[in-house]
Amino acid sequence: MNAPSTGMDIKAGAERSALTLYGEALSSRMLIGTAQYPSPQVLAEAVEASGAGIVTVSLRREQARGRTGERFLQLIADLGVRVLPNTAGCHTVKEAITTAHMARELFDTPWLKLEVIANDDTLQPDVFGLVEAASALCADGFNVLPYTTEDLSVADRLLAAGCRVLMPWGAPIGTGRGLANPYALRSMRAYFPDVPLIIDAGIGAPSHAAQAMEMGFDGVLLNTAIAKAADPVRMARAFAQAIEAGRSAYEAGLMGVRDMAQPSTPVVGTPFFDLRKDGA
């Protein structure tokens, strides 16, 4: 029996199809969140199994943890992967900008996952505040990865503000519903062929991640589907394999969809076809 794939195996495969964000080549097309894991050890093992090159950390959440937060941040540092601070929980432009500056000082990085939340029930982005905050932060030297919707006009404004990556949601955060609006997401992919697009939020199963990659998206960010699994480490590995498979399928060229059946083996001219034709 073959041994299960390891994080190193996933990284080796991902290197064949590297993702580049803000001029930096990453080891994986998978980004992983760090919240809700049953223990720090499980988190560390899940990140290793995933092969992810980026982990996200909510600064506001870790501030609330106090001394426990300090130990958590040390754990994150020990993972040896890029940290992407997150302004999760911010509802105003001022909150997001203040949190971003604190994160840059604490983590010594200009990279930022920008969230400005409009609604507590859906956790939908406040697209107006998002564009305003992105404009200010990009002008201040941040490498902004905005959590946004699939709206093309919002995407245009974020790119004009200076963002070089977009992170449209698949579905509301934590719902696990997958790609709720695949038509709009395909349109977004086609409309911005040269912009790195990473599906963020709503992914609940490896098949959802594979679907996003088959559609040509450049990466997937997820958290709850791994952290809340019965076996987070095994689930992290499953997602990594799905993302790699989906990307490979996209690059190989998926067959087109047809309205009518078409046999894979021609029957015209074969003896069996002739016998049926003659009524024998």
Side-chain angles (χ1 to χ4, degrees), residues 10 12 30 42 49 76-77 79 82 102 108-109 114 124 146 164 195 256 270:
I10 298 301
M30 182 174 177
V42 171
I76 296 300
L79 293 175
R82 172 175 283 283
M102 293 174 64
D108 191 27
T109 177
L114 178 61
Q124 180 174 337
R164 292 164 58 188
V195 177
T270 66

Side-chain angles (χ1 to χ4, degrees), residues 52-265:
I54 291 180
V55 296
T56 62
V57 177
S58 170
L59 180 61
R60 291 169 67 88
R61 183 181 299 116
E62 299 317 317
Q63 282 179 304
R65 291 183 176 183
R67 297 182 65 85
T68 302
E70 293 176 6
R71 293 195 296 272
F72 179 82
L73 294 178
Q74 183 58 52
L75 168 66
I76 296 300
D78 292 341
L79 293 175
V81 297
R82 172 175 283 283
V83 175
L84 179 63
N86 186 356
T87 63
C90 292
H91 288 74
T92 69
V93 172
K94 182 178 179 180
E95 274 186 303
I97 291 176
T98 299
T99 302
H101 282 92
M102 293 174 64
R104 181 165 62 178
E105 181 176 347
L106 178 61
F107 293 103
D108 191 27
T109 177
W111 285 47
L112 181 77
K113 179 190 171 187
L114 178 61
E115 291 187 25
V116 183
I117 300 301
N119 183 284
D120 286 330
D121 292 325
T122 64
L123 299 181
Q124 180 174 337
D126 173 357
V127 294
F128 303 102
L130 183 67
V131 171
E132 183 180 345
S135 298
L137 291 169
C138 288
D140 197 24
F142 283 86
N143 294 337
V144 177
L145 290 79
Y147 163 63
T148 183
T149 66
E150 63 278 90
D151 188 288
L152 298 183
S153 62
V154 175
D156 270 328
R157 285 164 173 77
L158 288 169
L159 294 173
C163 298
R164 292 164 58 188
V165 181
L166 300 176
M167 302 181 75
W169 64 349
I173 294 172
T175 61
R177 298 182 65 85
L179 306 183
N181 193 346
Y183 170 79
L185 289 171
R186 285 193 183 92
S187 297
M188 188 177 199
R189 177 69 286 177
Y191 198 79
F192 301 106
D194 301 321
V195 177
L197 300 178
I198 298 172
I199 294 294
D200 178 15
I203 298 297
S207 57
H208 299 158
Q211 180 187 10
M213 300 306 293
E214 289 171 0
M215 289 166 60
F217 283 86
D218 298 282
V220 174
L221 192 160
L222 66 153
N223 185 177
T224 307
I226 294 176
K228 290 298 187 179
D231 186 342
V233 177
R234 190 172 183 181
M235 186 62 76
R237 187 177 297 117
F239 268 105
Q241 292 167 338
I243 289 170
E244 177 65 17
R247 182 65 187 185
S248 293
Y250 170 74
E251 293 179 344
L254 293 163
M255 68 173 287
V257 177
R258 301 187 181 96
D259 292 327
M260 299 293 291
Q262 179 175 325
S264 57
T265 302

